């Protein structure tokens, strides 16, 4: 089941905020802070990608059950 539009909207908002935080941290913070913020940004992206992959797997499982 795909992410709800509300969840997706919040993830996109969080992604935008994290990108802004990375830009700011790149000039004002220690490298470890930039690394951790970047990791969070990648995790948000992985959530969306994993959900797409899960939908594909679920569709194939359902297709095989019907066969």
């Amino acid at each position: 089941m795909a992410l709800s539009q509300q969840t997706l909207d919040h993830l996109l908002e969080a992604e935008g905020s994290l990108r802004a935080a990375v830009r700011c941290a790149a000039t004002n913070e220690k490298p470890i802070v930039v690394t951790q913020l970047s990791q969070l940004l990648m995790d948000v992206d992985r959530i969306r990608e994993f959900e797409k992959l899960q939908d594909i797997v679920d569709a194939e499982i359902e297709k095989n059950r019907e066969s």
Side-chain angles (χ1 to χ4, degrees):
M1 179 160 121
L3 292 172
S4 69
Q5 188 59 46
Q6 186 178 18
T7 301
L8 185 57
D9 289 345
H10 287 296
L11 282 175
L12 292 173
E13 184 180 342
E15 186 176 24
S17 295
L18 285 168
R19 287 183 189 280
V22 168
R23 279 193 304 271
C24 181
T27 57
N28 298 319
E29 306 297 338
K30 294 180 180 181
I32 189 68
V33 174
V34 178
T35 301
Q36 292 302 307
L37 289 169
S38 297
Q39 184 66 43
L40 287 170
L41 188 57
M42 289 189 308
D43 288 344
V44 168
D45 187 53
R46 283 188 198 120
I47 291 170
R48 290 196 328 252
E49 292 302 315
F50 178 79
E51 189 64 26
K52 289 177 192 175
L53 291 174
Q54 188 66 45
D55 287 345
I56 292 168
V57 169
D58 289 345
E60 285 297 315
I61 290 171
E62 189 62 32
K63 185 174 142 184
N64 288 337
R65 284 185 188 158
E66 293 173 357
S67 297

